[in-house]
PDB file of all heavy atoms in Angstrom:
ATOM      1  N   ASN A 259      13.419  13.860 -16.462  1.00 81.00           N
ATOM      2  CA  ASN A 259      13.323  14.236 -15.046  1.00 81.00           C
ATOM      3  C   ASN A 259      13.725  13.112 -14.102  1.00 81.00           C
ATOM      4  O   ASN A 259      13.515  13.212 -12.898  1.00 81.00           O
ATOM      5  CB  ASN A 259      11.903  14.702 -14.730  1.00 81.00           C
ATOM      6  CG  ASN A 259      11.561  16.009 -15.414  1.00 81.00           C
ATOM      7  OD1 ASN A 259      12.438  16.826 -15.673  1.00 81.00           O
ATOM      8  ND2 ASN A 259      10.285  16.209 -15.716  1.00 81.00           N
ATOM      9  N   TRP A 271      13.448   3.590 -33.998  1.00 91.00           N
ATOM     10  CA  TRP A 271      13.465   3.542 -35.457  1.00 91.00           C
ATOM     11  C   TRP A 271      14.870   3.191 -35.925  1.00 91.00           C
ATOM     12  O   TRP A 271      15.838   3.321 -35.181  1.00 91.00           O
ATOM     13  CB  TRP A 271      12.967   4.849 -36.064  1.00 91.00           C
ATOM     14  CG  TRP A 271      13.772   6.087 -35.776  1.00 91.00           C
ATOM     15  CD1 TRP A 271      13.858   6.759 -34.587  1.00 91.00           C
ATOM     16  CD2 TRP A 271      14.596   6.820 -36.702  1.00 91.00           C
ATOM     17  NE1 TRP A 271      14.668   7.849 -34.705  1.00 91.00           N
ATOM     18  CE2 TRP A 271      15.124   7.931 -35.992  1.00 91.00           C
ATOM     19  CE3 TRP A 271      14.903   6.676 -38.045  1.00 91.00           C
ATOM     20  CZ2 TRP A 271      15.979   8.856 -36.587  1.00 91.00           C
ATOM     21  CZ3 TRP A 271      15.744   7.606 -38.650  1.00 91.00           C
ATOM     22  CH2 TRP A 271      16.270   8.673 -37.929  1.00 91.00           C
ATOM     23  N   PRO A 273      17.757   3.920 -38.448  1.00 90.00           N
ATOM     24  CA  PRO A 273      18.269   4.882 -39.439  1.00 90.00           C
ATOM     25  C   PRO A 273      19.086   4.247 -40.557  1.00 90.00           C
ATOM     26  O   PRO A 273      19.292   4.875 -41.601  1.00 90.00           O
ATOM     27  CB  PRO A 273      19.135   5.818 -38.590  1.00 90.00           C
ATOM     28  CG  PRO A 273      19.557   4.986 -37.423  1.00 90.00           C
ATOM     29  CD  PRO A 273      18.419   4.069 -37.144  1.00 90.00           C
ATOM     30  N   VAL A 327      16.780  11.769 -25.864  1.00 86.00           N
ATOM     31  CA  VAL A 327      15.893  11.774 -24.697  1.00 86.00           C
ATOM     32  C   VAL A 327      16.581  12.349 -23.469  1.00 86.00           C
ATOM     33  O   VAL A 327      15.997  13.133 -22.720  1.00 86.00           O
ATOM     34  CB  VAL A 327      15.398  10.336 -24.394  1.00 86.00           C
ATOM     35  CG1 VAL A 327      14.472  10.339 -23.192  1.00 86.00           C
ATOM     36  CG2 VAL A 327      14.702   9.750 -25.601  1.00 86.00           C
ATOM     37  N   LEU A 329      19.150  14.410 -23.416  1.00 86.00           N
ATOM     38  CA  LEU A 329      19.836  15.665 -23.735  1.00 86.00           C
ATOM     39  C   LEU A 329      21.175  15.467 -24.423  1.00 86.00           C
ATOM     40  O   LEU A 329      21.994  16.389 -24.483  1.00 86.00           O
ATOM     41  CB  LEU A 329      20.016  16.533 -22.475  1.00 86.00           C
ATOM     42  CG  LEU A 329      18.742  16.830 -21.676  1.00 86.00           C
ATOM     43  CD1 LEU A 329      19.057  17.734 -20.497  1.00 86.00           C
ATOM     44  CD2 LEU A 329      17.686  17.454 -22.566  1.00 86.00           C
ATOM     45  N   LEU A 334      22.389  12.147 -37.995  1.00 92.00           N
ATOM     46  CA  LEU A 334      22.343  11.177 -39.088  1.00 92.00           C
ATOM     47  C   LEU A 334      22.954  11.829 -40.323  1.00 92.00           C
ATOM     48  O   LEU A 334      22.550  12.937 -40.710  1.00 92.00           O
ATOM     49  CB  LEU A 334      20.903  10.746 -39.383  1.00 92.00           C
ATOM     50  CG  LEU A 334      20.726   9.679 -40.473  1.00 92.00           C
ATOM     51  CD1 LEU A 334      21.383   8.368 -40.050  1.00 92.00           C
ATOM     52  CD2 LEU A 334      19.247   9.446 -40.774  1.00 92.00           C
ATOM     53  N   GLU A 336      24.796  11.276 -44.452  1.00 88.00           N
ATOM     54  CA  GLU A 336      24.960  10.455 -45.656  1.00 88.00           C
ATOM     55  C   GLU A 336      26.373   9.884 -45.624  1.00 88.00           C
ATOM     56  O   GLU A 336      27.352  10.618 -45.432  1.00 88.00           O
ATOM     57  CB  GLU A 336      24.763  11.321 -46.896  1.00 88.00           C
ATOM     58  CG  GLU A 336      24.608  10.545 -48.180  1.00 88.00           C
ATOM     59  CD  GLU A 336      23.172  10.141 -48.451  1.00 88.00           C
ATOM     60  OE1 GLU A 336      22.252  10.849 -48.007  1.00 88.00           O
ATOM     61  OE2 GLU A 336      22.982   9.104 -49.101  1.00 88.00           O
ATOM     62  N   GLU A 339      30.087   6.678 -50.586  1.00 79.00           N
ATOM     63  CA  GLU A 339      30.410   5.329 -51.067  1.00 79.00           C
ATOM     64  C   GLU A 339      31.887   5.044 -50.865  1.00 79.00           C
ATOM     65  O   GLU A 339      32.759   5.850 -51.199  1.00 79.00           O
ATOM     66  CB  GLU A 339      30.047   5.229 -52.551  1.00 79.00           C
ATOM     67  CG  GLU A 339      30.239   3.839 -53.125  1.00 79.00           C
ATOM     68  CD  GLU A 339      29.756   3.740 -54.567  1.00 79.00           C
ATOM     69  OE1 GLU A 339      29.121   4.704 -55.046  1.00 79.00           O
ATOM     70  OE2 GLU A 339      30.025   2.719 -55.197  1.00 79.00           O
ATOM     71  N   GLU A 394      26.945  -4.512 -50.106  1.00 37.00           N
ATOM     72  CA  GLU A 394      27.692  -3.267 -49.963  1.00 37.00           C
ATOM     73  C   GLU A 394      27.502  -2.659 -48.587  1.00 37.00           C
ATOM     74  O   GLU A 394      28.439  -2.176 -47.956  1.00 37.00           O
ATOM     75  CB  GLU A 394      27.209  -2.297 -51.043  1.00 37.00           C
ATOM     76  CG  GLU A 394      28.057  -1.050 -51.188  1.00 37.00           C
ATOM     77  CD  GLU A 394      27.549  -0.214 -52.341  1.00 37.00           C
ATOM     78  OE1 GLU A 394      27.178  -0.801 -53.374  1.00 37.00           O
ATOM     79  OE2 GLU A 394      27.515   1.013 -52.198  1.00 37.00           O
ATOM     80  N   ALA A 418      17.584 -16.954 -31.117  1.00 78.00           N
ATOM     81  CA  ALA A 418      17.287 -15.883 -30.156  1.00 78.00           C
ATOM     82  C   ALA A 418      16.639 -16.435 -28.893  1.00 78.00           C
ATOM     83  O   ALA A 418      16.937 -15.988 -27.773  1.00 78.00           O
ATOM     84  CB  ALA A 418      16.373 -14.843 -30.807  1.00 78.00           C
ATOM     85  N   ASP A 419      15.727 -17.429 -29.067  1.00 77.00           N
ATOM     86  CA  ASP A 419      15.086 -18.045 -27.904  1.00 77.00           C
ATOM     87  C   ASP A 419      16.088 -18.859 -27.093  1.00 77.00           C
ATOM     88  O   ASP A 419      16.037 -18.883 -25.861  1.00 77.00           O
ATOM     89  CB  ASP A 419      13.924 -18.939 -28.354  1.00 77.00           C
ATOM     90  CG  ASP A 419      12.771 -18.141 -28.940  1.00 77.00           C
ATOM     91  OD1 ASP A 419      12.674 -16.943 -28.617  1.00 77.00           O
ATOM     92  OD2 ASP A 419      11.985 -18.707 -29.711  1.00 77.00           O
ATOM     93  N   GLU A 431      21.438 -11.517 -18.379  1.00 75.00           N
ATOM     94  CA  GLU A 431      22.220 -10.890 -19.440  1.00 75.00           C
ATOM     95  C   GLU A 431      23.461 -10.223 -18.856  1.00 75.00           C
ATOM     96  O   GLU A 431      23.455  -9.759 -17.719  1.00 75.00           O
ATOM     97  CB  GLU A 431      21.361  -9.862 -20.183  1.00 75.00           C
ATOM     98  CG  GLU A 431      20.172 -10.493 -20.898  1.00 75.00           C
ATOM     99  CD  GLU A 431      19.388  -9.467 -21.696  1.00 75.00           C
ATOM    100  OE1 GLU A 431      20.002  -8.461 -22.120  1.00 75.00           O
ATOM    101  OE2 GLU A 431      18.192  -9.666 -21.900  1.00 75.00           O
ATOM    102  N   PRO A 543      -1.943 -20.844 -13.465  1.00 95.00           N
ATOM    103  CA  PRO A 543      -2.165 -19.828 -12.436  1.00 95.00           C
ATOM    104  C   PRO A 543      -1.649 -18.442 -12.834  1.00 95.00           C
ATOM    105  O   PRO A 543      -2.293 -17.431 -12.565  1.00 95.00           O
ATOM    106  CB  PRO A 543      -1.404 -20.382 -11.223  1.00 95.00           C
ATOM    107  CG  PRO A 543      -1.440 -21.859 -11.407  1.00 95.00           C
ATOM    108  CD  PRO A 543      -1.312 -22.063 -12.886  1.00 95.00           C
ATOM    109  N   ALA A 552      -4.923  -7.540 -17.866  1.00 97.00           N
ATOM    110  CA  ALA A 552      -4.833  -7.333 -19.316  1.00 97.00           C
ATOM    111  C   ALA A 552      -6.179  -6.867 -19.860  1.00 97.00           C
ATOM    112  O   ALA A 552      -6.258  -5.946 -20.677  1.00 97.00           O
ATOM    113  CB  ALA A 552      -4.389  -8.621 -20.005  1.00 97.00           C
ATOM    114  N   ASP A 600       0.340   2.031 -12.132  1.00 92.00           N
ATOM    115  CA  ASP A 600       1.017   2.605 -10.958  1.00 92.00           C
ATOM    116  C   ASP A 600       1.594   3.986 -11.263  1.00 92.00           C
ATOM    117  O   ASP A 600       1.483   4.916 -10.454  1.00 92.00           O
ATOM    118  CB  ASP A 600       2.137   1.673 -10.483  1.00 92.00           C
ATOM    119  CG  ASP A 600       1.608   0.435  -9.787  1.00 92.00           C
ATOM    120  OD1 ASP A 600       0.457   0.471  -9.308  1.00 92.00           O
ATOM    121  OD2 ASP A 600       2.332  -0.568  -9.714  1.00 92.00           O
ATOM    122  N   VAL A 641     -10.666  -1.486  -0.092  1.00 88.00           N
ATOM    123  CA  VAL A 641     -11.290  -0.178  -0.270  1.00 88.00           C
ATOM    124  C   VAL A 641     -12.734  -0.217   0.237  1.00 88.00           C
ATOM    125  O   VAL A 641     -13.450  -1.200   0.043  1.00 88.00           O
ATOM    126  CB  VAL A 641     -11.255   0.238  -1.761  1.00 88.00           C
ATOM    127  CG1 VAL A 641     -12.021  -0.736  -2.626  1.00 88.00           C
ATOM    128  CG2 VAL A 641     -11.788   1.649  -1.948  1.00 88.00           C
ATOM    129  N   LEU A 647     -17.153   3.704  -4.657  1.00 91.00           N
ATOM    130  CA  LEU A 647     -18.167   4.424  -5.432  1.00 91.00           C
ATOM    131  C   LEU A 647     -17.582   5.725  -5.981  1.00 91.00           C
ATOM    132  O   LEU A 647     -17.814   6.077  -7.145  1.00 91.00           O
ATOM    133  CB  LEU A 647     -19.386   4.718  -4.557  1.00 91.00           C
ATOM    134  CG  LEU A 647     -20.530   5.495  -5.230  1.00 91.00           C
ATOM    135  CD1 LEU A 647     -21.046   4.759  -6.450  1.00 91.00           C
ATOM    136  CD2 LEU A 647     -21.655   5.741  -4.236  1.00 91.00           C
ATOM    137  N   VAL A 706     -25.023   6.639  -8.335  1.00 91.00           N
ATOM    138  CA  VAL A 706     -25.264   5.384  -9.051  1.00 91.00           C
ATOM    139  C   VAL A 706     -24.263   5.304 -10.201  1.00 91.00           C
ATOM    140  O   VAL A 706     -24.067   6.275 -10.931  1.00 91.00           O
ATOM    141  CB  VAL A 706     -26.705   5.308  -9.596  1.00 91.00           C
ATOM    142  CG1 VAL A 706     -26.917   4.020 -10.374  1.00 91.00           C
ATOM    143  CG2 VAL A 706     -27.710   5.409  -8.457  1.00 91.00           C
ATOM    144  N   LEU A 722     -10.311 -19.401   0.931  1.00 85.00           N
ATOM    145  CA  LEU A 722     -11.328 -19.477  -0.128  1.00 85.00           C
ATOM    146  C   LEU A 722     -12.613 -20.103   0.403  1.00 85.00           C
ATOM    147  O   LEU A 722     -13.718 -19.614   0.133  1.00 85.00           O
ATOM    148  CB  LEU A 722     -10.790 -20.290  -1.306  1.00 85.00           C
ATOM    149  CG  LEU A 722     -11.704 -20.380  -2.528  1.00 85.00           C
ATOM    150  CD1 LEU A 722     -11.802 -19.029  -3.223  1.00 85.00           C
ATOM    151  CD2 LEU A 722     -11.180 -21.427  -3.512  1.00 85.00           C
ATOM    152  N   SER A 748       3.632 -30.883  -2.093  1.00 67.00           N
ATOM    153  CA  SER A 748       3.907 -31.757  -0.948  1.00 67.00           C
ATOM    154  C   SER A 748       5.071 -32.701  -1.252  1.00 67.00           C
ATOM    155  O   SER A 748       5.045 -33.444  -2.242  1.00 67.00           O
ATOM    156  CB  SER A 748       2.662 -32.573  -0.612  1.00 67.00           C
ATOM    157  OG  SER A 748       1.573 -31.729  -0.341  1.00 67.00           O
ATOM    158  N   SER A 759      14.043 -10.979 -18.873  1.00 88.00           N
ATOM    159  CA  SER A 759      15.028  -9.994 -19.324  1.00 88.00           C
ATOM    160  C   SER A 759      14.362  -8.635 -19.484  1.00 88.00           C
ATOM    161  O   SER A 759      13.135  -8.504 -19.421  1.00 88.00           O
ATOM    162  CB  SER A 759      15.623 -10.434 -20.666  1.00 88.00           C
ATOM    163  OG  SER A 759      14.622 -10.389 -21.680  1.00 88.00           O
ATOM    164  N   ARG A 774      -4.358  -0.934 -24.762  1.00 93.00           N
ATOM    165  CA  ARG A 774      -4.940   0.380 -24.493  1.00 93.00           C
ATOM    166  C   ARG A 774      -5.288   1.129 -25.779  1.00 93.00           C
ATOM    167  O   ARG A 774      -6.066   2.091 -25.753  1.00 93.00           O
ATOM    168  CB  ARG A 774      -3.985   1.214 -23.647  1.00 93.00           C
ATOM    169  CG  ARG A 774      -3.640   0.582 -22.313  1.00 93.00           C
ATOM    170  CD  ARG A 774      -2.722   1.444 -21.485  1.00 93.00           C
ATOM    171  NE  ARG A 774      -3.452   2.501 -20.798  1.00 93.00           N
ATOM    172  CZ  ARG A 774      -2.930   3.256 -19.842  1.00 93.00           C
ATOM    173  NH1 ARG A 774      -1.671   3.072 -19.467  1.00 93.00           N
ATOM    174  NH2 ARG A 774      -3.638   4.186 -19.259  1.00 93.00           N
ATOM    175  N   TRP A 792     -18.704 -25.142 -27.954  1.00 93.00           N
ATOM    176  CA  TRP A 792     -18.197 -25.721 -26.701  1.00 93.00           C
ATOM    177  C   TRP A 792     -19.275 -25.738 -25.632  1.00 93.00           C
ATOM    178  O   TRP A 792     -19.472 -26.756 -24.947  1.00 93.00           O
ATOM    179  CB  TRP A 792     -17.001 -24.908 -26.207  1.00 93.00           C
ATOM    180  CG  TRP A 792     -16.414 -25.419 -24.920  1.00 93.00           C
ATOM    181  CD1 TRP A 792     -15.475 -26.389 -24.773  1.00 93.00           C
ATOM    182  CD2 TRP A 792     -16.759 -24.996 -23.587  1.00 93.00           C
ATOM    183  NE1 TRP A 792     -15.199 -26.599 -23.440  1.00 93.00           N
ATOM    184  CE2 TRP A 792     -15.970 -25.759 -22.689  1.00 93.00           C
ATOM    185  CE3 TRP A 792     -17.646 -24.060 -23.066  1.00 93.00           C
ATOM    186  CZ2 TRP A 792     -16.054 -25.597 -21.305  1.00 93.00           C
ATOM    187  CZ3 TRP A 792     -17.725 -23.895 -21.687  1.00 93.00           C
ATOM    188  CH2 TRP A 792     -16.935 -24.652 -20.818  1.00 93.00           C
ATOM    189  N   ALA A 801     -26.689 -32.536 -19.356  1.00 85.00           N
ATOM    190  CA  ALA A 801     -28.056 -33.047 -19.450  1.00 85.00           C
ATOM    191  C   ALA A 801     -28.080 -34.560 -19.354  1.00 85.00           C
ATOM    192  O   ALA A 801     -28.957 -35.143 -18.701  1.00 85.00           O
ATOM    193  CB  ALA A 801     -28.696 -32.582 -20.755  1.00 85.00           C
ATOM    194  N   SER A 836      -7.066 -16.166 -34.915  1.00 93.00           N
ATOM    195  CA  SER A 836      -6.250 -17.275 -35.389  1.00 93.00           C
ATOM    196  C   SER A 836      -6.701 -18.585 -34.754  1.00 93.00           C
ATOM    197  O   SER A 836      -7.462 -18.604 -33.783  1.00 93.00           O
ATOM    198  CB  SER A 836      -4.778 -17.021 -35.045  1.00 93.00           C
ATOM    199  OG  SER A 836      -4.605 -16.986 -33.634  1.00 93.00           O
ATOM    200  N   ASN A 841      -8.056 -21.958 -29.884  1.00 93.00           N
ATOM    201  CA  ASN A 841      -7.617 -23.014 -28.970  1.00 93.00           C
ATOM    202  C   ASN A 841      -7.426 -22.475 -27.556  1.00 93.00           C
ATOM    203  O   ASN A 841      -7.753 -23.138 -26.569  1.00 93.00           O
ATOM    204  CB  ASN A 841      -6.309 -23.634 -29.473  1.00 93.00           C
ATOM    205  CG  ASN A 841      -6.497 -24.449 -30.732  1.00 93.00           C
ATOM    206  OD1 ASN A 841      -7.614 -24.871 -31.045  1.00 93.00           O
ATOM    207  ND2 ASN A 841      -5.434 -24.673 -31.471  1.00 93.00           N
ATOM    208  N   ALA A 843      -8.957 -19.850 -26.172  1.00 95.00           N
ATOM    209  CA  ALA A 843     -10.265 -19.552 -25.574  1.00 95.00           C
ATOM    210  C   ALA A 843     -10.923 -20.831 -25.061  1.00 95.00           C
ATOM    211  O   ALA A 843     -11.494 -20.851 -23.962  1.00 95.00           O
ATOM    212  CB  ALA A 843     -11.165 -18.869 -26.595  1.00 95.00           C
ATOM    213  N   VAL A 868     -29.713 -34.108  -1.175  1.00 37.00           N
ATOM    214  CA  VAL A 868     -29.853 -34.467   0.223  1.00 37.00           C
ATOM    215  C   VAL A 868     -28.873 -35.573   0.565  1.00 37.00           C
ATOM    216  O   VAL A 868     -28.170 -35.516   1.571  1.00 37.00           O
ATOM    217  CB  VAL A 868     -31.297 -34.920   0.534  1.00 37.00           C
ATOM    218  CG1 VAL A 868     -31.407 -35.387   1.975  1.00 37.00           C
ATOM    219  CG2 VAL A 868     -32.284 -33.805   0.241  1.00 37.00           C
TER     220      VAL A 868
END
Side-chain angles (χ1 to χ4, degrees):
N259 292 331
W271 63 288
V327 180
L329 306 182
L334 183 64
E336 193 87 29
E339 185 175 351
E394 190 176 320
D419 292 337
E431 297 184 27
D600 286 338
V641 61
L647 179 58
V706 178
L722 184 69
S748 302
S759 67
R774 301 181 80 168
W792 180 86
S836 64
N841 290 340
V868 176

